[in-house]
Amino acid sequence: MVGRKKTSFFNEIKLRVINKISNWQANFFSSGGKEILIKAVAQAVPAYAMSVFKLPLGLCEDMQKAIAGFWWGQKREKRSIHWSKWERLCQAKKRGGLGFRDLSSFNQALVAKQSWRIILAPESLVARVMKEKYFRHSSFMKAQIGSNPSYIWRSILWEERLFTRALDGELEMESW
């Protein structure tokens, strides 16, 4: 159960990512090989938890630092030079980046998908449970946080606000 200490609850995910990266020897891989490992393994490990929960920002940053260190060939005992900002590497390839995922933005997109599912499939089990517990007498778009909400509901509402802004035209869909 997710309590007040969210960082310690999700720390296992961060440790799994860091352990996978630390077992790889960056100097044995080409840049293409490192790119594949980052995209297929390091950025895929937290995806399941990210689809349900809002991960703490510090946790996402720590995982991105470890991934960036692997990309630039950082060794445990010494730092390496990062020749480009991580934000630039996270841009699409057609925009000059490498297409890596910004983990906090990816987390937002995955949790927003839950909001989208609740709206599109109101008869699904999760939508009916959430409606009964959190927005019994209103619509999902007008739902309030309520008293004693679960961390899943808090995460969905965090994204529902972003989702509402996008529907109102305040945000571009590409920024997700």
PDB file of all heavy atoms in Angstrom, residues 124-161:
ATOM      1  N   SER A 124     -16.683  -0.244 -17.773  1.00  0.00           N
ATOM      2  CA  SER A 124     -15.595  -1.141 -17.375  1.00  0.00           C
ATOM      3  C   SER A 124     -15.557  -1.245 -15.850  1.00  0.00           C
ATOM      4  O   SER A 124     -16.070  -0.390 -15.129  1.00  0.00           O
ATOM      5  CB  SER A 124     -14.254  -0.622 -17.897  1.00  0.00           C
ATOM      6  OG  SER A 124     -13.907   0.573 -17.242  1.00  0.00           O
ATOM      7  N   LEU A 125     -14.942  -2.296 -15.367  1.00  0.00           N
ATOM      8  CA  LEU A 125     -14.899  -2.528 -13.927  1.00  0.00           C
ATOM      9  C   LEU A 125     -14.209  -1.390 -13.189  1.00  0.00           C
ATOM     10  O   LEU A 125     -14.717  -0.892 -12.188  1.00  0.00           O
ATOM     11  CB  LEU A 125     -14.204  -3.862 -13.636  1.00  0.00           C
ATOM     12  CG  LEU A 125     -14.092  -4.238 -12.151  1.00  0.00           C
ATOM     13  CD1 LEU A 125     -15.479  -4.381 -11.545  1.00  0.00           C
ATOM     14  CD2 LEU A 125     -13.295  -5.511 -11.996  1.00  0.00           C
ATOM     15  N   VAL A 126     -13.066  -0.958 -13.693  1.00  0.00           N
ATOM     16  CA  VAL A 126     -12.338   0.112 -13.003  1.00  0.00           C
ATOM     17  C   VAL A 126     -13.146   1.409 -12.998  1.00  0.00           C
ATOM     18  O   VAL A 126     -13.183   2.111 -11.986  1.00  0.00           O
ATOM     19  CB  VAL A 126     -10.919   0.310 -13.586  1.00  0.00           C
ATOM     20  CG1 VAL A 126     -10.955   0.934 -14.960  1.00  0.00           C
ATOM     21  CG2 VAL A 126     -10.069   1.153 -12.664  1.00  0.00           C
ATOM     22  N   ALA A 127     -13.825   1.724 -14.088  1.00  0.00           N
ATOM     23  CA  ALA A 127     -14.633   2.943 -14.143  1.00  0.00           C
ATOM     24  C   ALA A 127     -15.805   2.867 -13.169  1.00  0.00           C
ATOM     25  O   ALA A 127     -16.118   3.850 -12.479  1.00  0.00           O
ATOM     26  CB  ALA A 127     -15.135   3.182 -15.560  1.00  0.00           C
ATOM     27  N   ARG A 128     -16.441   1.712 -13.084  1.00  0.00           N
ATOM     28  CA  ARG A 128     -17.567   1.566 -12.161  1.00  0.00           C
ATOM     29  C   ARG A 128     -17.117   1.643 -10.711  1.00  0.00           C
ATOM     30  O   ARG A 128     -17.788   2.265  -9.877  1.00  0.00           O
ATOM     31  CB  ARG A 128     -18.295   0.250 -12.417  1.00  0.00           C
ATOM     32  CG  ARG A 128     -19.053   0.265 -13.734  1.00  0.00           C
ATOM     33  CD  ARG A 128     -19.863  -0.976 -13.930  1.00  0.00           C
ATOM     34  NE  ARG A 128     -19.016  -2.151 -13.694  1.00  0.00           N
ATOM     35  CZ  ARG A 128     -19.366  -3.394 -13.920  1.00  0.00           C
ATOM     36  NH1 ARG A 128     -20.556  -3.658 -14.379  1.00  0.00           N
ATOM     37  NH2 ARG A 128     -18.539  -4.384 -13.700  1.00  0.00           N
ATOM     38  N   VAL A 129     -15.967   1.031 -10.387  1.00  0.00           N
ATOM     39  CA  VAL A 129     -15.451   1.093  -9.021  1.00  0.00           C
ATOM     40  C   VAL A 129     -15.081   2.530  -8.649  1.00  0.00           C
ATOM     41  O   VAL A 129     -15.442   3.015  -7.577  1.00  0.00           O
ATOM     42  CB  VAL A 129     -14.240   0.146  -8.838  1.00  0.00           C
ATOM     43  CG1 VAL A 129     -13.519   0.406  -7.531  1.00  0.00           C
ATOM     44  CG2 VAL A 129     -14.680  -1.303  -8.934  1.00  0.00           C
ATOM     45  N   MET A 130     -14.377   3.207  -9.546  1.00  0.00           N
ATOM     46  CA  MET A 130     -13.986   4.592  -9.273  1.00  0.00           C
ATOM     47  C   MET A 130     -15.211   5.494  -9.150  1.00  0.00           C
ATOM     48  O   MET A 130     -15.266   6.356  -8.278  1.00  0.00           O
ATOM     49  CB  MET A 130     -13.057   5.114 -10.370  1.00  0.00           C
ATOM     50  CG  MET A 130     -11.713   4.454 -10.411  1.00  0.00           C
ATOM     51  SD  MET A 130     -10.769   4.813  -8.934  1.00  0.00           S
ATOM     52  CE  MET A 130      -9.282   3.941  -9.274  1.00  0.00           C
ATOM     53  N   LYS A 131     -16.200   5.288 -10.001  1.00  0.00           N
ATOM     54  CA  LYS A 131     -17.416   6.101  -9.943  1.00  0.00           C
ATOM     55  C   LYS A 131     -18.128   5.893  -8.616  1.00  0.00           C
ATOM     56  O   LYS A 131     -18.536   6.847  -7.960  1.00  0.00           O
ATOM     57  CB  LYS A 131     -18.355   5.792 -11.104  1.00  0.00           C
ATOM     58  CG  LYS A 131     -19.640   6.617 -11.039  1.00  0.00           C
ATOM     59  CD  LYS A 131     -20.364   6.625 -12.330  1.00  0.00           C
ATOM     60  CE  LYS A 131     -21.608   7.456 -12.292  1.00  0.00           C
ATOM     61  NZ  LYS A 131     -21.413   8.866 -12.096  1.00  0.00           N
ATOM     62  N   GLU A 132     -18.266   4.658  -8.219  1.00  0.00           N
ATOM     63  CA  GLU A 132     -18.971   4.358  -6.966  1.00  0.00           C
ATOM     64  C   GLU A 132     -18.237   4.936  -5.763  1.00  0.00           C
ATOM     65  O   GLU A 132     -18.854   5.443  -4.837  1.00  0.00           O
ATOM     66  CB  GLU A 132     -19.119   2.841  -6.825  1.00  0.00           C
ATOM     67  CG  GLU A 132     -19.986   2.405  -5.690  1.00  0.00           C
ATOM     68  CD  GLU A 132     -21.432   2.873  -5.824  1.00  0.00           C
ATOM     69  OE1 GLU A 132     -21.938   3.006  -6.942  1.00  0.00           O
ATOM     70  OE2 GLU A 132     -22.049   3.091  -4.755  1.00  0.00           O
ATOM     71  N   LYS A 133     -16.946   4.885  -5.793  1.00  0.00           N
ATOM     72  CA  LYS A 133     -16.166   5.337  -4.635  1.00  0.00           C
ATOM     73  C   LYS A 133     -15.898   6.841  -4.625  1.00  0.00           C
ATOM     74  O   LYS A 133     -15.951   7.466  -3.575  1.00  0.00           O
ATOM     75  CB  LYS A 133     -14.842   4.578  -4.585  1.00  0.00           C
ATOM     76  CG  LYS A 133     -14.001   4.921  -3.373  1.00  0.00           C
ATOM     77  CD  LYS A 133     -13.081   3.826  -3.018  1.00  0.00           C
ATOM     78  CE  LYS A 133     -12.124   4.178  -1.926  1.00  0.00           C
ATOM     79  NZ  LYS A 133     -12.662   4.259  -0.615  1.00  0.00           N
ATOM     80  N   TYR A 134     -15.655   7.454  -5.801  1.00  0.00           N
ATOM     81  CA  TYR A 134     -15.153   8.823  -5.813  1.00  0.00           C
ATOM     82  C   TYR A 134     -16.046   9.866  -6.488  1.00  0.00           C
ATOM     83  O   TYR A 134     -15.961  11.036  -6.162  1.00  0.00           O
ATOM     84  CB  TYR A 134     -13.764   8.863  -6.467  1.00  0.00           C
ATOM     85  CG  TYR A 134     -12.744   8.070  -5.700  1.00  0.00           C
ATOM     86  CD1 TYR A 134     -12.209   6.909  -6.230  1.00  0.00           C
ATOM     87  CD2 TYR A 134     -12.335   8.463  -4.440  1.00  0.00           C
ATOM     88  CE1 TYR A 134     -11.275   6.171  -5.535  1.00  0.00           C
ATOM     89  CE2 TYR A 134     -11.411   7.736  -3.727  1.00  0.00           C
ATOM     90  CZ  TYR A 134     -10.878   6.591  -4.281  1.00  0.00           C
ATOM     91  OH  TYR A 134      -9.964   5.865  -3.578  1.00  0.00           O
ATOM     92  N   PHE A 135     -16.855   9.476  -7.462  1.00  0.00           N
ATOM     93  CA  PHE A 135     -17.686  10.499  -8.107  1.00  0.00           C
ATOM     94  C   PHE A 135     -19.085   9.949  -8.399  1.00  0.00           C
ATOM     95  O   PHE A 135     -19.600  10.026  -9.496  1.00  0.00           O
ATOM     96  CB  PHE A 135     -16.999  11.072  -9.363  1.00  0.00           C
ATOM     97  CG  PHE A 135     -16.607  10.081 -10.420  1.00  0.00           C
ATOM     98  CD1 PHE A 135     -17.394   9.894 -11.549  1.00  0.00           C
ATOM     99  CD2 PHE A 135     -15.442   9.350 -10.308  1.00  0.00           C
ATOM    100  CE1 PHE A 135     -17.025   8.994 -12.533  1.00  0.00           C
ATOM    101  CE2 PHE A 135     -15.064   8.443 -11.290  1.00  0.00           C
ATOM    102  CZ  PHE A 135     -15.866   8.270 -12.409  1.00  0.00           C
ATOM    103  N   ARG A 136     -19.703   9.456  -7.352  1.00  0.00           N
ATOM    104  CA  ARG A 136     -21.007   8.799  -7.444  1.00  0.00           C
ATOM    105  C   ARG A 136     -22.086   9.713  -8.025  1.00  0.00           C
ATOM    106  O   ARG A 136     -22.893   9.292  -8.831  1.00  0.00           O
ATOM    107  CB  ARG A 136     -21.423   8.314  -6.063  1.00  0.00           C
ATOM    108  CG  ARG A 136     -22.744   7.566  -6.052  1.00  0.00           C
ATOM    109  CD  ARG A 136     -23.117   7.099  -4.689  1.00  0.00           C
ATOM    110  NE  ARG A 136     -22.063   6.215  -4.173  1.00  0.00           N
ATOM    111  CZ  ARG A 136     -22.080   5.707  -2.960  1.00  0.00           C
ATOM    112  NH1 ARG A 136     -23.042   5.985  -2.137  1.00  0.00           N
ATOM    113  NH2 ARG A 136     -21.112   4.923  -2.568  1.00  0.00           N
ATOM    114  N   HIS A 137     -22.102  10.977  -7.621  1.00  0.00           N
ATOM    115  CA  HIS A 137     -23.181  11.887  -8.018  1.00  0.00           C
ATOM    116  C   HIS A 137     -22.749  12.941  -9.024  1.00  0.00           C
ATOM    117  O   HIS A 137     -23.405  13.968  -9.162  1.00  0.00           O
ATOM    118  CB  HIS A 137     -23.771  12.563  -6.778  1.00  0.00           C
ATOM    119  CG  HIS A 137     -24.281  11.579  -5.770  1.00  0.00           C
ATOM    120  ND1 HIS A 137     -25.356  10.748  -5.999  1.00  0.00           N
ATOM    121  CD2 HIS A 137     -23.831  11.266  -4.530  1.00  0.00           C
ATOM    122  CE1 HIS A 137     -25.562   9.986  -4.943  1.00  0.00           C
ATOM    123  NE2 HIS A 137     -24.643  10.281  -4.041  1.00  0.00           N
ATOM    124  N   SER A 138     -21.646  12.704  -9.714  1.00  0.00           N
ATOM    125  CA  SER A 138     -21.191  13.671 -10.720  1.00  0.00           C
ATOM    126  C   SER A 138     -20.495  12.914 -11.854  1.00  0.00           C
ATOM    127  O   SER A 138     -20.406  11.694 -11.831  1.00  0.00           O
ATOM    128  CB  SER A 138     -20.237  14.698 -10.105  1.00  0.00           C
ATOM    129  OG  SER A 138     -19.028  14.088  -9.714  1.00  0.00           O
ATOM    130  N   SER A 139     -19.995  13.651 -12.808  1.00  0.00           N
ATOM    131  CA  SER A 139     -19.255  13.019 -13.901  1.00  0.00           C
ATOM    132  C   SER A 139     -17.770  12.954 -13.530  1.00  0.00           C
ATOM    133  O   SER A 139     -17.324  13.619 -12.600  1.00  0.00           O
ATOM    134  CB  SER A 139     -19.427  13.831 -15.186  1.00  0.00           C
ATOM    135  OG  SER A 139     -18.746  15.057 -15.073  1.00  0.00           O
ATOM    136  N   PHE A 140     -17.039  12.182 -14.290  1.00  0.00           N
ATOM    137  CA  PHE A 140     -15.607  12.059 -14.046  1.00  0.00           C
ATOM    138  C   PHE A 140     -14.903  13.410 -14.164  1.00  0.00           C
ATOM    139  O   PHE A 140     -14.023  13.734 -13.386  1.00  0.00           O
ATOM    140  CB  PHE A 140     -14.992  11.049 -15.026  1.00  0.00           C
ATOM    141  CG  PHE A 140     -13.500  10.994 -14.953  1.00  0.00           C
ATOM    142  CD1 PHE A 140     -12.865  10.436 -13.866  1.00  0.00           C
ATOM    143  CD2 PHE A 140     -12.717  11.526 -15.969  1.00  0.00           C
ATOM    144  CE1 PHE A 140     -11.482  10.388 -13.789  1.00  0.00           C
ATOM    145  CE2 PHE A 140     -11.340  11.483 -15.904  1.00  0.00           C
ATOM    146  CZ  PHE A 140     -10.723  10.914 -14.809  1.00  0.00           C
ATOM    147  N   MET A 141     -15.304  14.203 -15.139  1.00  0.00           N
ATOM    148  CA  MET A 141     -14.645  15.491 -15.370  1.00  0.00           C
ATOM    149  C   MET A 141     -14.907  16.489 -14.235  1.00  0.00           C
ATOM    150  O   MET A 141     -14.177  17.458 -14.100  1.00  0.00           O
ATOM    151  CB  MET A 141     -15.092  16.085 -16.704  1.00  0.00           C
ATOM    152  CG  MET A 141     -14.721  15.218 -17.895  1.00  0.00           C
ATOM    153  SD  MET A 141     -12.969  14.884 -18.012  1.00  0.00           S
ATOM    154  CE  MET A 141     -12.437  16.363 -18.804  1.00  0.00           C
ATOM    155  N   LYS A 142     -15.909  16.249 -13.416  1.00  0.00           N
ATOM    156  CA  LYS A 142     -16.220  17.134 -12.291  1.00  0.00           C
ATOM    157  C   LYS A 142     -15.885  16.495 -10.950  1.00  0.00           C
ATOM    158  O   LYS A 142     -16.250  17.019  -9.910  1.00  0.00           O
ATOM    159  CB  LYS A 142     -17.695  17.517 -12.333  1.00  0.00           C
ATOM    160  CG  LYS A 142     -18.024  18.378 -13.530  1.00  0.00           C
ATOM    161  CD  LYS A 142     -19.448  18.823 -13.504  1.00  0.00           C
ATOM    162  CE  LYS A 142     -19.618  19.771 -14.667  1.00  0.00           C
ATOM    163  NZ  LYS A 142     -20.830  19.722 -15.342  1.00  0.00           N
ATOM    164  N   ALA A 143     -15.186  15.385 -10.984  1.00  0.00           N
ATOM    165  CA  ALA A 143     -14.861  14.656  -9.763  1.00  0.00           C
ATOM    166  C   ALA A 143     -13.910  15.454  -8.877  1.00  0.00           C
ATOM    167  O   ALA A 143     -13.043  16.177  -9.365  1.00  0.00           O
ATOM    168  CB  ALA A 143     -14.235  13.317 -10.115  1.00  0.00           C
ATOM    169  N   GLN A 144     -14.099  15.290  -7.588  1.00  0.00           N
ATOM    170  CA  GLN A 144     -13.245  15.921  -6.589  1.00  0.00           C
ATOM    171  C   GLN A 144     -12.368  14.846  -5.952  1.00  0.00           C
ATOM    172  O   GLN A 144     -12.647  13.654  -6.077  1.00  0.00           O
ATOM    173  CB  GLN A 144     -14.101  16.604  -5.513  1.00  0.00           C
ATOM    174  CG  GLN A 144     -15.014  17.690  -6.051  1.00  0.00           C
ATOM    175  CD  GLN A 144     -14.226  18.864  -6.606  1.00  0.00           C
ATOM    176  OE1 GLN A 144     -13.245  19.302  -6.007  1.00  0.00           O
ATOM    177  NE2 GLN A 144     -14.645  19.357  -7.767  1.00  0.00           N
ATOM    178  N   ILE A 145     -11.364  15.297  -5.226  1.00  0.00           N
ATOM    179  CA  ILE A 145     -10.435  14.346  -4.621  1.00  0.00           C
ATOM    180  C   ILE A 145     -11.098  13.558  -3.503  1.00  0.00           C
ATOM    181  O   ILE A 145     -10.791  12.403  -3.307  1.00  0.00           O
ATOM    182  CB  ILE A 145      -9.138  15.042  -4.160  1.00  0.00           C
ATOM    183  CG1 ILE A 145      -8.068  14.002  -3.873  1.00  0.00           C
ATOM    184  CG2 ILE A 145      -9.363  15.889  -2.936  1.00  0.00           C
ATOM    185  CD1 ILE A 145      -6.713  14.401  -4.261  1.00  0.00           C
ATOM    186  N   GLY A 146     -12.030  14.148  -2.782  1.00  0.00           N
ATOM    187  CA  GLY A 146     -12.768  13.444  -1.738  1.00  0.00           C
ATOM    188  C   GLY A 146     -11.948  13.226  -0.485  1.00  0.00           C
ATOM    189  O   GLY A 146     -10.821  13.692  -0.348  1.00  0.00           O
ATOM    190  N   SER A 147     -12.542  12.509   0.452  1.00  0.00           N
ATOM    191  CA  SER A 147     -11.843  12.246   1.711  1.00  0.00           C
ATOM    192  C   SER A 147     -11.197  10.876   1.656  1.00  0.00           C
ATOM    193  O   SER A 147     -11.776   9.912   1.164  1.00  0.00           O
ATOM    194  CB  SER A 147     -12.828  12.317   2.884  1.00  0.00           C
ATOM    195  OG  SER A 147     -13.823  11.335   2.733  1.00  0.00           O
ATOM    196  N   ASN A 148      -9.998  10.798   2.114  1.00  0.00           N
ATOM    197  CA  ASN A 148      -9.216   9.567   2.168  1.00  0.00           C
ATOM    198  C   ASN A 148      -9.117   8.854   0.809  1.00  0.00           C
ATOM    199  O   ASN A 148      -9.445   7.677   0.693  1.00  0.00           O
ATOM    200  CB  ASN A 148      -9.793   8.631   3.235  1.00  0.00           C
ATOM    201  CG  ASN A 148      -8.807   7.569   3.643  1.00  0.00           C
ATOM    202  OD1 ASN A 148      -7.602   7.711   3.441  1.00  0.00           O
ATOM    203  ND2 ASN A 148      -9.314   6.490   4.216  1.00  0.00           N
ATOM    204  N   PRO A 149      -8.633   9.550  -0.220  1.00  0.00           N
ATOM    205  CA  PRO A 149      -8.527   8.918  -1.538  1.00  0.00           C
ATOM    206  C   PRO A 149      -7.314   7.993  -1.622  1.00  0.00           C
ATOM    207  O   PRO A 149      -6.320   8.183  -0.930  1.00  0.00           O
ATOM    208  CB  PRO A 149      -8.355  10.106  -2.481  1.00  0.00           C
ATOM    209  CG  PRO A 149      -7.664  11.118  -1.633  1.00  0.00           C
ATOM    210  CD  PRO A 149      -8.198  10.937  -0.245  1.00  0.00           C
ATOM    211  N   SER A 150      -7.408   7.008  -2.492  1.00  0.00           N
ATOM    212  CA  SER A 150      -6.274   6.118  -2.722  1.00  0.00           C
ATOM    213  C   SER A 150      -5.217   6.865  -3.554  1.00  0.00           C
ATOM    214  O   SER A 150      -5.516   7.882  -4.185  1.00  0.00           O
ATOM    215  CB  SER A 150      -6.725   4.868  -3.481  1.00  0.00           C
ATOM    216  OG  SER A 150      -7.103   5.204  -4.791  1.00  0.00           O
ATOM    217  N   TYR A 151      -4.010   6.332  -3.540  1.00  0.00           N
ATOM    218  CA  TYR A 151      -2.954   6.971  -4.322  1.00  0.00           C
ATOM    219  C   TYR A 151      -3.221   6.829  -5.815  1.00  0.00           C
ATOM    220  O   TYR A 151      -2.852   7.697  -6.601  1.00  0.00           O
ATOM    221  CB  TYR A 151      -1.582   6.399  -3.958  1.00  0.00           C
ATOM    222  CG  TYR A 151      -0.456   7.207  -4.546  1.00  0.00           C
ATOM    223  CD1 TYR A 151      -0.278   8.538  -4.184  1.00  0.00           C
ATOM    224  CD2 TYR A 151       0.396   6.666  -5.486  1.00  0.00           C
ATOM    225  CE1 TYR A 151       0.724   9.292  -4.733  1.00  0.00           C
ATOM    226  CE2 TYR A 151       1.414   7.420  -6.041  1.00  0.00           C
ATOM    227  CZ  TYR A 151       1.579   8.729  -5.658  1.00  0.00           C
ATOM    228  OH  TYR A 151       2.568   9.487  -6.209  1.00  0.00           O
ATOM    229  N   ILE A 152      -3.903   5.767  -6.209  1.00  0.00           N
ATOM    230  CA  ILE A 152      -4.276   5.607  -7.615  1.00  0.00           C
ATOM    231  C   ILE A 152      -5.227   6.732  -8.029  1.00  0.00           C
ATOM    232  O   ILE A 152      -5.055   7.344  -9.084  1.00  0.00           O
ATOM    233  CB  ILE A 152      -4.912   4.219  -7.867  1.00  0.00           C
ATOM    234  CG1 ILE A 152      -3.878   3.123  -7.647  1.00  0.00           C
ATOM    235  CG2 ILE A 152      -5.511   4.133  -9.264  1.00  0.00           C
ATOM    236  CD1 ILE A 152      -4.441   1.720  -7.676  1.00  0.00           C
ATOM    237  N   TRP A 153      -6.232   7.011  -7.180  1.00  0.00           N
ATOM    238  CA  TRP A 153      -7.181   8.078  -7.497  1.00  0.00           C
ATOM    239  C   TRP A 153      -6.481   9.435  -7.539  1.00  0.00           C
ATOM    240  O   TRP A 153      -6.744  10.261  -8.394  1.00  0.00           O
ATOM    241  CB  TRP A 153      -8.336   8.077  -6.506  1.00  0.00           C
ATOM    242  CG  TRP A 153      -9.353   9.129  -6.787  1.00  0.00           C
ATOM    243  CD1 TRP A 153      -9.669  10.194  -6.003  1.00  0.00           C
ATOM    244  CD2 TRP A 153     -10.182   9.239  -7.947  1.00  0.00           C
ATOM    245  NE1 TRP A 153     -10.647  10.954  -6.595  1.00  0.00           N
ATOM    246  CE2 TRP A 153     -10.982  10.385  -7.796  1.00  0.00           C
ATOM    247  CE3 TRP A 153     -10.325   8.482  -9.108  1.00  0.00           C
ATOM    248  CZ2 TRP A 153     -11.896  10.797  -8.747  1.00  0.00           C
ATOM    249  CZ3 TRP A 153     -11.242   8.887 -10.054  1.00  0.00           C
ATOM    250  CH2 TRP A 153     -12.011  10.028  -9.884  1.00  0.00           C
ATOM    251  N   ARG A 154      -5.581   9.667  -6.604  1.00  0.00           N
ATOM    252  CA  ARG A 154      -4.816  10.928  -6.613  1.00  0.00           C
ATOM    253  C   ARG A 154      -4.019  11.051  -7.914  1.00  0.00           C
ATOM    254  O   ARG A 154      -3.937  12.121  -8.509  1.00  0.00           O
ATOM    255  CB  ARG A 154      -3.864  10.998  -5.430  1.00  0.00           C
ATOM    256  CG  ARG A 154      -4.515  11.257  -4.115  1.00  0.00           C
ATOM    257  CD  ARG A 154      -3.441  11.303  -3.018  1.00  0.00           C
ATOM    258  NE  ARG A 154      -4.032  11.424  -1.729  1.00  0.00           N
ATOM    259  CZ  ARG A 154      -4.312  12.588  -1.151  1.00  0.00           C
ATOM    260  NH1 ARG A 154      -4.059  13.710  -1.767  1.00  0.00           N
ATOM    261  NH2 ARG A 154      -4.848  12.616   0.042  1.00  0.00           N
ATOM    262  N   SER A 155      -3.428   9.947  -8.351  1.00  0.00           N
ATOM    263  CA  SER A 155      -2.653   9.963  -9.590  1.00  0.00           C
ATOM    264  C   SER A 155      -3.542  10.250 -10.789  1.00  0.00           C
ATOM    265  O   SER A 155      -3.189  11.042 -11.665  1.00  0.00           O
ATOM    266  CB  SER A 155      -1.944   8.614  -9.788  1.00  0.00           C
ATOM    267  OG  SER A 155      -1.042   8.355  -8.748  1.00  0.00           O
ATOM    268  N   ILE A 156      -4.709   9.621 -10.829  1.00  0.00           N
ATOM    269  CA  ILE A 156      -5.630   9.848 -11.940  1.00  0.00           C
ATOM    270  C   ILE A 156      -6.113  11.290 -11.951  1.00  0.00           C
ATOM    271  O   ILE A 156      -6.187  11.916 -13.015  1.00  0.00           O
ATOM    272  CB  ILE A 156      -6.806   8.845 -11.888  1.00  0.00           C
ATOM    273  CG1 ILE A 156      -6.303   7.454 -12.245  1.00  0.00           C
ATOM    274  CG2 ILE A 156      -7.938   9.274 -12.809  1.00  0.00           C
ATOM    275  CD1 ILE A 156      -7.322   6.355 -12.052  1.00  0.00           C
ATOM    276  N   LEU A 157      -6.407  11.843 -10.786  1.00  0.00           N
ATOM    277  CA  LEU A 157      -6.857  13.238 -10.740  1.00  0.00           C
ATOM    278  C   LEU A 157      -5.737  14.201 -11.119  1.00  0.00           C
ATOM    279  O   LEU A 157      -5.986  15.243 -11.719  1.00  0.00           O
ATOM    280  CB  LEU A 157      -7.410  13.598  -9.361  1.00  0.00           C
ATOM    281  CG  LEU A 157      -8.835  13.189  -9.104  1.00  0.00           C
ATOM    282  CD1 LEU A 157      -9.331  13.790  -7.801  1.00  0.00           C
ATOM    283  CD2 LEU A 157      -9.762  13.559 -10.224  1.00  0.00           C
ATOM    284  N   TRP A 158      -4.497  13.866 -10.776  1.00  0.00           N
ATOM    285  CA  TRP A 158      -3.344  14.686 -11.192  1.00  0.00           C
ATOM    286  C   TRP A 158      -3.349  14.792 -12.704  1.00  0.00           C
ATOM    287  O   TRP A 158      -3.173  15.862 -13.273  1.00  0.00           O
ATOM    288  CB  TRP A 158      -2.073  14.028 -10.663  1.00  0.00           C
ATOM    289  CG  TRP A 158      -0.778  14.493 -11.219  1.00  0.00           C
ATOM    290  CD1 TRP A 158      -0.227  15.734 -11.080  1.00  0.00           C
ATOM    291  CD2 TRP A 158       0.167  13.725 -11.982  1.00  0.00           C
ATOM    292  NE1 TRP A 158       0.996  15.772 -11.699  1.00  0.00           N
ATOM    293  CE2 TRP A 158       1.254  14.555 -12.264  1.00  0.00           C
ATOM    294  CE3 TRP A 158       0.180  12.406 -12.441  1.00  0.00           C
ATOM    295  CZ2 TRP A 158       2.355  14.117 -12.978  1.00  0.00           C
ATOM    296  CZ3 TRP A 158       1.277  11.973 -13.144  1.00  0.00           C
ATOM    297  CH2 TRP A 158       2.338  12.819 -13.411  1.00  0.00           C
ATOM    298  N   GLU A 159      -3.583  13.680 -13.373  1.00  0.00           N
ATOM    299  CA  GLU A 159      -3.600  13.678 -14.823  1.00  0.00           C
ATOM    300  C   GLU A 159      -4.906  14.189 -15.397  1.00  0.00           C
ATOM    301  O   GLU A 159      -4.936  14.730 -16.477  1.00  0.00           O
ATOM    302  CB  GLU A 159      -3.336  12.268 -15.354  1.00  0.00           C
ATOM    303  CG  GLU A 159      -1.899  11.962 -15.416  1.00  0.00           C
ATOM    304  CD  GLU A 159      -1.116  13.097 -16.015  1.00  0.00           C
ATOM    305  OE1 GLU A 159      -1.437  13.597 -17.095  1.00  0.00           O
ATOM    306  OE2 GLU A 159      -0.148  13.497 -15.376  1.00  0.00           O
ATOM    307  N   GLU A 160      -5.995  14.005 -14.673  1.00  0.00           N
ATOM    308  CA  GLU A 160      -7.283  14.474 -15.173  1.00  0.00           C
ATOM    309  C   GLU A 160      -7.253  15.983 -15.347  1.00  0.00           C
ATOM    310  O   GLU A 160      -7.811  16.517 -16.288  1.00  0.00           O
ATOM    311  CB  GLU A 160      -8.404  14.035 -14.215  1.00  0.00           C
ATOM    312  CG  GLU A 160      -9.793  14.282 -14.727  1.00  0.00           C
ATOM    313  CD  GLU A 160     -10.334  15.631 -14.315  1.00  0.00           C
ATOM    314  OE1 GLU A 160      -9.882  16.162 -13.293  1.00  0.00           O
ATOM    315  OE2 GLU A 160     -11.190  16.151 -15.037  1.00  0.00           O
ATOM    316  N   ARG A 161      -6.565  16.673 -14.455  1.00  0.00           N
ATOM    317  CA  ARG A 161      -6.452  18.135 -14.572  1.00  0.00           C
ATOM    318  C   ARG A 161      -5.677  18.501 -15.846  1.00  0.00           C
ATOM    319  O   ARG A 161      -6.053  19.407 -16.570  1.00  0.00           O
ATOM    320  CB  ARG A 161      -5.773  18.738 -13.343  1.00  0.00           C
ATOM    321  CG  ARG A 161      -6.459  18.435 -12.037  1.00  0.00           C
ATOM    322  CD  ARG A 161      -7.884  18.971 -11.997  1.00  0.00           C
ATOM    323  NE  ARG A 161      -8.542  18.544 -10.791  1.00  0.00           N
ATOM    324  CZ  ARG A 161      -9.650  17.823 -10.752  1.00  0.00           C
ATOM    325  NH1 ARG A 161     -10.245  17.455 -11.847  1.00  0.00           N
ATOM    326  NH2 ARG A 161     -10.192  17.474  -9.618  1.00  0.00           N
TER     327      ARG A 161
END
